[in-house]
Amino acid sequence: QVQLVESGGGSVQVGGSLRLSCEASGRTFNSFGLGWFRQAPGKEREFVSAINWNAGMIYYADSVKGRFTISRDNAKNTVYLQMNSLKPEDTAVYYCATRRVGGSYSRSSDYAYWGRGTQVTVSS
């Protein structure tokens, strides 16, 4: 069992930045990959970014490439999502999740444990 708690969401203007954090507990943090997903009102949950256990493999959705940066600190059991140059279309609830071994990095069904999410609102 893994517990995930996201934080760092908020309201910013277009072009602003936010840094999301996701702290994990309940299992050896450096044994699993992690991902960030987001869900806007009326839309399906979509992949944002993912990182493997040692940060040797990192993935981004095309929509955030060049603007968002994922990282992890295994000593702090925390994964981060630095979001720069935010756009109104980035408005969503952001979730972190743990990836099942051997699963896809971008498919939500391949993630086992999820946090409750943190709201990000970007206004123009």
Side-chain angles (χ1 to χ4, degrees), residues 70-121:
I70 192 171
S71 61
R72 65 187 295 164
D73 186 339
N74 288 344
K76 295 183 178 180
N77 290 354
T78 301
V79 62
Y80 304 96
L81 187 68
Q82 177 67 45
M83 306 187 297
N84 299 328
S85 303
L86 284 162
K87 305 175 180 179
E89 51 264 43
D90 295 320
T91 295
V93 177
Y94 284 71
Y95 302 88
C96 67
T98 62
R99 187 181 68 90
R100 304 178 198 274
V101 175
S104 160
Y105 276 95
S106 62
R107 194 160 52 218
S108 61
S109 58
D110 283 333
Y111 285 76
Y113 298 101
W114 293 79
R116 293 188 175 185
T118 185
Q119 176 70 47
V120 171
T121 303

Side-chain angles (χ1 to χ4, degrees), residues 6-65:
E6 302 96 337
S7 61
S11 296
V12 296
Q13 293 190 326
V14 170
S17 298
L18 284 173
R19 188 194 196 201
L20 305 184
S21 299
C22 174
E23 185 173 358
S25 61
R27 230 179 79 184
T28 305
F29 183 75
N30 61 6
S31 67
F32 47 82
L34 291 145
W36 285 96
F37 289 76
R38 66 187 182 187
Q39 187 166 19
K43 294 188 176 181
E44 293 188 355
R45 190 169 297 187
E46 66 172 358
F47 170 74
V48 175
S49 182
I51 189 169
N52 77 326
W53 69 277
N54 66 352
M57 299 172 70
I58 289 176
Y59 305 86
Y60 296 101
D62 287 343
S63 59
V64 307
K65 207 170 289 183

